[in-house]
Amino acid sequence: MAKFIKNLKSKVKQYKSKAEEIRAAIEEGAETIREIRSDVESTVDDLKTDSEEKMMEGLEKIQDAERVFKEAGYRLQAVRLEMGF
């Protein structure tokens, strides 16, 4: 019976260690996602405009960056814009 309990304790330690590794990996992934979200939000903020002139400048920036999309393996087919107050 003592051998069983010792074996059980060993397994619990192994699983606890694995759980800690998984938790660390998830936290690291979550941090990466937060960084990507921040990058996207700052990019979107740069494209927000309050005039037609700035809207056209934003479209020009997108058009100038088309090669970046191509290099990343994407093809820019359309841009959807909305205007509001």
Side-chain angles (χ1 to χ4, degrees), residues 1-72:
M1 182 74 146
K3 187 176 180 180
F4 172 77
I5 291 174
K6 186 177 179 180
N7 214 6
L8 185 61
K9 284 183 180 180
S10 173
K11 291 291 182 188
V12 168
K13 285 182 183 178
Q14 285 178 335
Y15 291 133
K16 184 178 178 183
S17 176
K18 268 294 189 205
E20 289 170 353
E21 288 177 30
I22 292 170
R23 180 178 182 192
I26 290 171
E27 288 175 354
E28 185 178 324
E31 181 61 31
T32 300
I33 290 170
R34 281 191 286 274
E35 290 172 3
I36 292 170
R37 178 181 178 189
S38 176
D39 290 346
V40 169
E41 286 176 347
S42 68
T43 301
V44 170
D45 284 342
D46 290 344
L47 294 174
K48 289 182 179 178
T49 64
D50 57 4
S51 70
E52 185 177 325
E53 185 177 298
K54 286 187 178 180
M55 183 177 71
M56 293 307 293
E57 288 174 11
L59 280 173
E60 288 172 4
K61 285 181 184 179
I62 293 171
Q63 187 175 7
D64 291 343
E66 187 176 3
R67 70 170 182 77
V68 175
F69 289 106
K70 286 181 182 178
E71 288 175 10

